[in-house]
Amino acid sequence: MTSSLEYIIGGVRIQFPCKAYPSQLAMMNSIIRGLNSGQHCLLESPTGSGKSLALLCSTLGWQQAQFAKSVPGERLPSELVETNQFSHIGDEANFQPERKRIRTAEPKSPESCFQCPCASAKDSAKNKDGNRKVPKIFLGTRTHKQITQIVHEMKRTGYSTAPMTILSSRDYTCVNPDVAPLANRNDLCKDLMEAKNGRSCHYFHAVQKMGSQSTMQLIHGIHQAWDIEDLVSLGKRLHSCSYYAARELMKGSDIIFCPYNYLLDPLIRENMEINLAGHILVLDEAHNIEDCARESASFTLDHNSLLMCRDELDSMVNNNIRRLKHEPLRDFCYSLVNWIWQSQSLMSDMEYEDASKVWNGDEILSIFHTLGITPENVRMLKQNMAAVLEKEEIIGFINGKDNRMQVPTISSSSSSILKGLFMVLDFLYRDNCRYSEDYRVVLQKTYSWIRKDMSNMSDAQGFMAQQGQTQHPRVRGKTGSLSLSFWCLNPAVAFSDLSGTVHSIVLTSGTLAPMASFSLELGVKFSVQLEANHVINKSQVWVGTVGVGPQGRKLCATFQHSETYAFQDEVGALLLNVCKVVPKGVLCFLPSYKMLNKMRDRWNITGVWEKLEKQKEVITEPRGGGKNDLDELLQAYYNAIKSCEKRDGALFMAVCRGKVSEGLDFTDDNARAVITIGIPFPNIKNLQVELKMKYNDQHSKSRGLLSGHQWYEIQAYRALNQALGRCIRHRNDWGALILVDDRYRSNPSKYIKGLSKWVRQLVQHYDTFSSAMQSLVKFSQELQKCCYLTDTQNSTISFPSSITITKALQDLPKPVDFSSHSQINTECGEQEWQRVTHDHFSAPLLHPPPALLTSEQQQILSLQKKSEDSVIELSAAVKSSEFKKRKSKTLTSHSNASSKLTLTNKTDENKEDKTVFFTPELFKAEEADTHEGAEIESPSQIIFGAECRTLHPQNFFGSELAQVSRSDEKRVVAIDATKIGLPGREDTNVAGEHVRNKIRLSRSRQKAHLSLTDKS
């Protein structure tokens, strides 16, 4: 039995494919509130909490409500209610919405969309009074891979038939076999569009075959949400251009997906004909939006490219082609070329023989004024630019009609250079030079090493080398390049075009904190803000800092330490040990590609790399390369985890801020552990980083920006939190987060506070490597037991947040105890736990063979087994003494508790829920503010029912059941017994003492074992 749920939030009816988490309800409420009032939203929700699904359903539901308002008789209640509609769909794990009530405002089938009343309703709403239109939704993400994941989520919803399109580059959508394989496909495509050399693209001329929503639905039968691959396949089959078809489909789309630089970059918006005025702008994974906004308002010009543009314009003038229009543009290029040449003497040397000269915005405007580059001249040059790009010109009239002639135009590369220059000049001169202080203009000379072909070069005597006689036909040579960069240091410059024109801006990510500075950096007032809690239970995640390696050496991944062989050897040994105890997939993130390469080279010499490859298949993230290269590596990684024939899964070596650290979904076995080496601070010697830090220091007081040092640290932790977020991808996922660096333990107040809230709550510091491995082994084995027992006993296993003991426990042949990390729970229902993981283990997980372990690891496992045996014996004794005494009372109380805490309540299936779901207090974080970086200790007092597991406030991650009493120095978790049906405090002494004993045992096993023995 599964349910199709319908929520009404802020007067908007929202269809949701499953029961929403509290964080999803809070997020949807915030979005609806922002859209209703036309305000901007800044929403943070941890990775794996279902924010993409909430984002889609709330925005599309609001949009459909706007269309429906034009239909008479449609009324929407203002309070939030929940209605359950149960339907039997077999054993499928995914929830599919059931549409039992068909309203006239909604289509009865996808085929009727262009004939039913909803079509006319949309048309009338879009053209009402000629002004008020129902806003489109522009949803931007960082990468095309993230678009694929969001479209997959959209297919699960009741809005999967909404007209949509995906804007992407020619790299992904070009289907012309003569153009697609080439690196310069963009320029070739533009040449074919202009029919240069008498050639054109017949794929483009057939774009009408798939260029409208009606054609896609009625002719090609595409009624559901589609991905880029679907459009490309259709384009190849129809010999129609997928790139331009996607752009044509934008006209009739309700939601448009694209990378978010398409929405922020003025040049791309112009080229793609994107008009955001009056529409909804949604930016998912927006933690990088500051960098993207600065890049969108910046422009870098290569000196050689400027020379080529000047020469091309000179050729147009000399050939008398629109001379009056081309001549001012040519003179503009001449002025820049001469100034760059004269300014080279002003450059100061930097490291590695590089040199640079920096001007601020006011200085550069003064210089440009002497060159004749003024606001008035820039406006005139932009008009000339538009004129010379016209491909036809009227030369007369014949029989009352225009006689047009084809006119040569400058190349697309030259036009891109001029457009980029005019874009930054427009920002510099806008609003009486308002943004001039936000720019730095940098002239740089850099050197790079390239390989030169020496096969055709003469030797010292002047003779040409014969083929086959030279052993080194290619040698390395140093070459210099000159560039002029207009760097925008204020992301608010790019947002100035958007915030005043769009209906609403919605920014979401798992790592937006600190949100106040985020708002100030972007220069946008976010009236609606939310920091949602995670949906997982704390026992599903192991978070530990490791500052010491297997050999006892301190691990501090600063530049000085990371260069030493001792550090590299310790990290290699640590990684090998983790791969031995953690099954399936392991991700390891390093701060830079440079460190990754040095580690790999060192481990190849010492043999650690070979040992890693024997344990798991090792894959490294490539630097650069095309999308196909990364896709092939990811597929190899997934295949190695699924097969596990010779090796136990795979290890992916990656880099923070790389392609793997953001936007990729490593669900379940694909990431059972994430290891981060060091803290990924940006390169402080980078000139752009240095200038940004100075800029923030200069404006920190006047604009309320973060100081330069604070901004620098935030960049590191956002990258780190993104990497850590690859592990937990849904509510039933589990994994370990291993932070390798001694700085976390030695200075927690500084280095722990930058971690995400949900990670920060769970951090444990380990003084020795053996203690960390002991805890990690225990965590890994216990979570694997949950997965195994799901298959072998056909029972439902929950994590320790569940406090129900069901009648099914009585049917077991003997008492079962899984320590503090697992518990039998058969009343959670099939809807809550269809499965714990997608791929269950087919055999029980035993301790690794002694032959594969070191002597230190064998001691760890031996000590662990003794400790586990003592826990089980004590648990059995305590439970046996109390079970008979409170058997009937316990079952009754837990039956009541189950009705409150489980996802579905079988006894209440047919009851109508009249409860108003949303209250503002429900979604506010209720954890007490603890000392930043301090180790989280167990509560000193726990109030819970008999036969219940330990309940910490972190179990609920801010739910209404966890209330922290601040009147006492020590932390007390108070759970209302009347709310959840728990027995009173007098019945909890024995069980509470048992739990506290187990807590002590988990922290110091030998000491606790002795104390428990004495008590017994």
Side-chain angles (χ1 to χ4, degrees):
M1 299 287 291
T2 61
S3 65
S4 174
L5 300 178
E6 187 176 85
Y7 297 95
I8 298 178
I9 305 176
V12 177
R13 184 174 286 108
I14 299 175
Q15 299 178 31
F16 210 73
C18 55
K19 185 178 178 69
Y21 302 143
S23 61
Q24 290 175 316
L25 290 172
M27 189 170 182
M28 289 191 291
N29 175 75
S30 299
I31 293 173
I32 295 299
R33 189 152 49 97
L35 296 181
N36 280 340
S37 58
Q39 295 176 327
H40 305 316
C41 307
L42 187 63
L43 314 174
E44 182 182 71
S45 183
T47 55
S49 59
K51 63 177 179 295
S52 297
L53 197 60
L55 196 62
L56 286 169
C57 292
S58 57
T59 52
L60 287 168
W62 183 88
Q63 188 184 59
Q64 284 198 3
Q66 302 308 303
F67 288 132
K69 283 184 178 180
S70 61
V71 179
E74 185 72 15
R75 298 183 62 186
L76 298 174
S78 59
E79 68 272 16
L80 167 66
V81 297
E82 177 189 13
T83 57
N84 295 297
Q85 302 170 354
F86 291 90
S87 62
H88 182 70
I89 60 170
D91 296 327
E92 296 181 8
N94 292 329
F95 299 125
Q96 299 294 334
E98 176 187 327
R99 301 180 178 179
K100 287 186 176 181
R101 297 176 296 173
I102 306 297
R103 295 185 295 272
T104 58
E106 296 180 352
K108 295 184 178 181
S109 64
E111 290 80 0
S112 62
C113 269
F114 298 95
Q115 302 171 2
C116 70
C118 82
S120 60
K122 289 186 179 182
D123 291 338
S124 61
K126 289 182 179 180
N127 297 300
K128 185 178 181 179
D129 300 329
N131 294 319
R132 185 181 180 276
K133 298 180 180 179
V134 175
K136 294 180 182 291
I137 302 168
F138 287 85
L139 199 156
T141 65
R142 189 188 180 205
T143 64
H144 289 86
K145 190 66 94 175
Q146 291 170 327
I147 293 177
T148 300
Q149 296 172 7
I150 292 182
V151 170
H152 176 74
E153 291 294 314
M154 183 176 173
K155 292 179 181 178
R156 296 177 53 203
T157 71
Y159 308 102
S160 60
T161 59
M164 51 85 68
T165 190
I166 301 175
L167 303 180
S168 60
S169 66
R170 294 176 177 87
D171 297 347
Y172 291 85
T173 51
C174 180
V175 295
N176 189 329
D178 298 330
V179 177
L182 304 178
N184 61 336
R185 61 182 67 88
N186 286 328
D187 292 335
L188 290 176
C189 178
K190 293 176 182 178
D191 291 341
L192 290 175
M193 294 300 99
E194 298 171 3
K196 289 187 176 181
N197 302 321
R199 297 177 57 202
S200 63
C201 180
H202 64 275
Y203 287 86
F204 171 74
H205 296 300
V207 72
Q208 72 278 0
K209 294 181 180 179
M210 47 193 289
S212 67
Q213 296 291 341
S214 58
T215 302
M216 294 287 285
Q217 294 190 22
L218 299 179
I219 297 179
H220 303 304
I222 299 179
H223 306 293
Q224 300 288 323
W226 46 266
D227 198 6
I228 294 178
E229 286 74 13
D230 302 323
L231 188 68
V232 171
S233 299
L234 181 62
K236 290 180 178 179
R237 179 161 56 88
L238 299 176
H239 294 276
S240 177
C241 179
S242 304
Y243 173 76
Y244 282 100
R247 294 174 58 171
E248 290 296 319
L249 289 170
M250 180 168 52
K251 299 175 183 177
S253 295
D254 291 342
I255 182 168
I256 298 98
F257 300 94
C258 61
Y260 52 56
N261 63 313
Y262 282 40
L263 305 174
L264 297 179
D265 193 312
L267 297 179
I268 298 180
R269 287 204 307 269
E270 179 184 351
N271 292 333
M272 301 293 289
E273 299 177 351
I274 298 175
N275 181 13
L276 298 177
H279 298 301
I280 301 169
L281 176 60
V282 180
L283 302 177
D284 194 15
E285 301 297 337
H287 49 275
N288 288 318
I289 206 66
E290 293 180 22
D291 296 335
C292 184
R294 287 195 302 270
E295 292 173 3
S296 298
S298 303
F299 183 70
T300 295
L301 174 66
D302 179 69
H303 185 246
N304 292 330
S305 300
L306 181 60
L307 292 176
M308 293 177 61
C309 180
R310 180 203 62 182
D311 294 341
E312 188 172 3
L313 290 169
D314 198 23
S315 175
M316 290 289 185
V317 173
N318 295 334
N319 287 281
N320 205 26
I321 300 174
R322 289 174 174 166
R323 182 185 184 94
L324 295 179
K325 301 295 184 182
H326 282 110
E327 198 166 24
L329 296 172
R330 182 198 63 177
D331 296 341
F332 169 72
C333 291
Y334 265 110
S335 299
L336 281 179
V337 169
N338 294 335
W339 173 72
I340 290 173
W341 183 259
Q342 295 170 2
S343 300
Q344 291 187 66
S345 59
L346 303 176
M347 293 192 296
S348 57
D349 294 336
M350 301 169 60
E351 59 180 6
Y352 306 117
E353 300 181 346
D354 293 349
S356 67
K357 169 61 180 175
V358 180
W359 295 271
N360 62 36
D362 291 337
E363 291 172 342
I364 206 66
L365 289 181
S366 178
I367 293 173
F368 281 3
H369 183 78
T370 61
L371 299 177
I373 303 174
T374 61
E376 295 77 15
N377 288 339
V378 169
R379 284 193 290 269
M380 181 267 293
L381 290 172
K382 291 172 67 176
Q383 294 173 359
N384 290 345
M385 176 71 180
V388 300
L389 292 180
E390 291 291 336
K391 299 170 184 161
E392 294 182 339
E393 190 174 57
I394 300 175
I395 60 174
F397 297 91
I398 298 178
N399 297 328
K401 296 182 179 180
D402 295 342
N403 184 18
R404 294 181 174 270
M405 178 183 68
Q406 291 284 339
V407 179
T409 58
I410 58 176
S411 64
S412 58
S413 58
S414 294
S415 64
S416 298
I417 291 172
L418 294 175
K419 286 180 179 179
L421 286 169
F422 295 149
M423 182 265 294
V424 292
L425 289 175
D426 179 64
F427 280 127
L428 283 168
Y429 289 120
R430 181 177 297 182
D431 296 339
N432 197 23
C433 303
R434 174 185 176 186
Y435 299 117
S436 61
E437 266 302 309
D438 299 323
Y439 275 87
R440 298 294 182 271
V441 179
V442 183
L443 182 63
Q444 279 184 297
K445 189 169 187 178
T446 57
Y447 292 92
S448 59
W449 291 89
I450 61 172
R451 292 190 176 274
K452 297 180 180 180
D453 189 358
M454 305 296 292
S455 59
N456 295 324
M457 297 183 66
S458 59
D459 58 16
Q461 287 73 34
F463 295 98
M464 297 297 294
Q466 296 183 5
Q467 187 174 3
Q469 288 186 355
T470 179
Q471 297 181 354
H472 303 285
R474 299 178 67 86
V475 297
R476 294 186 67 194
K478 187 172 68 171
T479 181
S481 61
L482 198 61
S483 63
L484 180 66
S485 299
F486 296 80
W487 286 339
C488 177
L489 304 180
N490 183 9
V493 174
F495 267 83
S496 64
D497 284 341
L498 307 177
S499 58
T501 59
V502 299
H503 176 85
S504 290
I505 298 176
V506 181
L507 303 187
T508 68
S509 178
T511 52
L512 292 179
M515 299 177 73
S517 65
F518 203 95
S519 177
L520 292 171
E521 282 276 354
L522 298 180
V524 178
K525 181 182 179 181
F526 292 98
S527 302
V528 181
Q529 297 190 17
L530 171 71
E531 290 183 88
N533 297 297
H534 214 305
V535 298
I536 60 169
N537 179 260
K538 74 167 196 173
S539 64
Q540 297 169 242
V541 191
W542 186 97
V543 184
T545 68
V546 181
V548 180
Q551 302 302 321
R553 297 189 183 96
K554 184 181 293 186
L555 296 174
C556 185
T558 59
F559 177 78
Q560 294 82 359
H561 291 88
S562 62
E563 294 289 315
T564 64
Y565 289 151
F567 175 85
Q568 296 169 9
D569 293 343
E570 283 284 58
V571 172
L574 180 148
L575 192 57
L576 182 60
N577 278 275
V578 172
C579 288
K580 288 181 178 179
V581 300
V582 176
K584 304 296 183 177
V586 175
L587 303 176
C588 179
F589 292 99
L590 293 102
S592 64
Y593 288 102
K594 181 180 179 181
M595 183 182 290
L596 173 59
N597 294 332
K598 286 190 175 183
M599 293 285 186
R600 180 174 54 190
D601 294 342
R602 175 62 180 172
W603 297 343
N604 277 322
I605 295 175
T606 61
V608 172
W609 192 267
E610 183 180 357
K611 293 178 181 178
L612 286 171
E613 288 184 324
K614 290 181 179 179
Q615 188 67 30
K616 295 180 183 290
E617 183 170 339
V618 183
I619 298 172
T620 58
E621 177 183 359
R623 184 171 191 171
K627 71 179 187 70
N628 293 331
D629 298 334
L630 181 61
D631 290 343
E632 291 176 1
L633 291 177
L634 287 172
Q635 194 58 51
Y637 176 78
Y638 298 145
N639 293 338
I641 293 172
K642 290 180 180 179
S643 60
C644 289
E645 296 177 356
K646 299 180 180 179
R647 293 171 285 191
D648 183 20
L651 168 67
F652 209 127
M653 302 288 295
V655 174
C656 291
R657 298 187 188 87
K659 297 179 181 178
V660 177
S661 66
E662 301 181 19
L664 295 183
D665 194 6
F666 294 93
T667 306
D668 298 327
D669 286 341
N670 293 330
R672 288 305 179 197
V674 171
I675 307 169
T676 59
I677 310 298
I679 305 172
F681 289 104
N683 182 7
I684 199 168
K685 295 183 179 181
N686 180 278
L687 180 58
Q688 199 166 1
V689 173
E690 179 185 344
L691 292 175
K692 173 61 178 172
M693 293 176 66
K694 291 180 179 178
Y695 173 85
N696 273 43
D697 287 334
Q698 180 183 351
H699 298 284
S700 58
K701 293 183 179 180
S702 60
R703 300 186 186 177
L705 302 179
L706 292 174
S707 68
H709 185 71
Q710 290 174 325
W711 173 87
Y712 181 74
E713 290 186 341
I714 289 296
Q715 304 309 304
Y717 287 110
R718 281 180 179 159
L720 178 65
N721 289 326
Q722 279 298 308
L724 294 174
R726 298 311 96 199
C727 187
I728 304 299
R729 305 303 300 175
H730 58 84
R731 182 177 183 179
N732 299 340
D733 208 351
W734 63 270
L737 306 180
I738 306 169
L739 290 80
V740 179
D741 201 295
D742 186 60
R743 286 175 286 182
Y744 295 114
R745 181 195 60 81
S746 61
N747 193 357
S749 61
K750 178 179 180 181
Y751 294 104
I752 294 297
K753 68 178 182 179
L755 299 176
S756 295
K757 181 175 68 174
W758 71 275
V759 176
R760 188 171 63 245
Q761 292 174 347
L762 305 177
V763 169
Q764 295 290 331
H765 302 288
Y766 294 93
D767 296 329
T768 64
F769 177 75
S770 59
S771 63
M773 287 299 100
Q774 178 182 359
S775 176
L776 182 61
V777 168
K778 183 176 183 294
F779 167 81
S780 180
Q781 290 181 345
E782 288 174 340
L783 268 295
Q784 290 175 70
K785 285 178 185 178
C786 293
C787 300
Y788 168 67
L789 289 172
T790 303
D791 290 337
T792 57
Q793 296 184 0
N794 194 26
S795 61
T796 306
I797 307 299
S798 73
F799 296 103
S801 63
S802 174
I803 60 171
T804 59
I805 294 182
T806 65
K807 296 180 181 180
L809 187 60
Q810 303 176 22
D811 300 330
L812 296 177
K814 58 180 180 179
V816 179
D817 184 89
F818 297 122
S819 187
S820 64
H821 287 278
S822 59
Q823 179 177 349
I824 300 293
N825 177 9
T826 56
E827 288 192 1
C828 288
E830 294 179 358
Q831 182 176 339
E832 179 181 10
W833 289 103
Q834 291 289 342
R835 60 184 184 276
V836 176
T837 58
H838 294 171
D839 300 317
H840 300 309
F841 291 89
S842 58
L845 227 296
L846 304 177
H847 291 288
L852 298 178
L853 302 178
T854 63
S855 59
E856 183 182 29
Q857 290 173 323
Q858 293 182 31
Q859 293 176 4
I860 293 174
L861 294 180
S862 176
L863 177 60
Q864 176 197 347
K865 189 176 187 309
K866 291 179 182 179
S867 301
E868 288 175 348
D869 292 342
S870 65
V871 171
I872 294 175
E873 291 174 5
L874 178 63
S875 176
V878 173
K879 290 182 179 180
S880 176
S881 64
E882 294 293 317
F883 184 78
K884 293 181 180 180
K885 185 165 117 181
R886 299 196 306 263
K887 178 178 179 182
S888 59
K889 183 176 180 181
T890 302
L891 291 176
T892 303
S893 64
H894 285 293
S895 176
N896 295 333
S898 176
S899 67
K900 296 288 183 182
L901 297 181
T902 55
L903 281 179
T904 58
N905 182 4
K906 295 184 178 180
T907 61
D908 294 336
E909 283 179 0
N910 298 322
K911 294 181 180 179
E912 183 179 1
D913 189 358
K914 300 291 185 180
T915 306
V916 175
F917 235 70
F918 173 76
T919 58
E921 294 80 6
L922 177 61
F923 305 113
K924 291 182 179 178
E926 299 178 80
E927 300 91 339
D929 294 330
T930 57
H931 178 64
E932 288 293 344
E935 180 176 346
I936 296 176
E937 297 184 359
S938 303
S940 59
Q941 186 177 3
I942 306 175
I943 306 173
F944 62 110
E947 300 296 328
C948 294
R949 296 291 174 188
T950 308
L951 293 177
H952 298 285
Q954 294 90 341
N955 287 133
F956 300 98
F957 279 92
S959 70
E960 70 274 19
L961 297 178
Q963 300 175 1
V964 181
S965 174
R966 305 194 182 196
S967 60
D968 189 46
E969 283 185 359
K970 298 183 179 179
R971 204 168 186 184
V972 179
V973 179
I975 300 178
D976 190 350
T978 61
K979 258 190 177 183
I980 60 176
L982 293 178
R985 293 180 63 171
E986 64 275 3
D987 297 330
T988 65
N989 296 331
V990 177
E993 181 64 23
H994 164 56
V995 171
R996 287 192 290 275
N997 285 336
K998 290 205 294 180
I999 293 173
R1000 299 190 190 99
L1001 184 61
S1002 66
R1003 292 183 173 178
S1004 179
R1005 295 183 179 277
Q1006 290 180 328
K1007 182 177 178 180
H1009 180 59
L1010 293 175
S1011 64
L1012 293 172
T1013 305
D1014 295 339
K1015 290 183 181 180
S1016 62

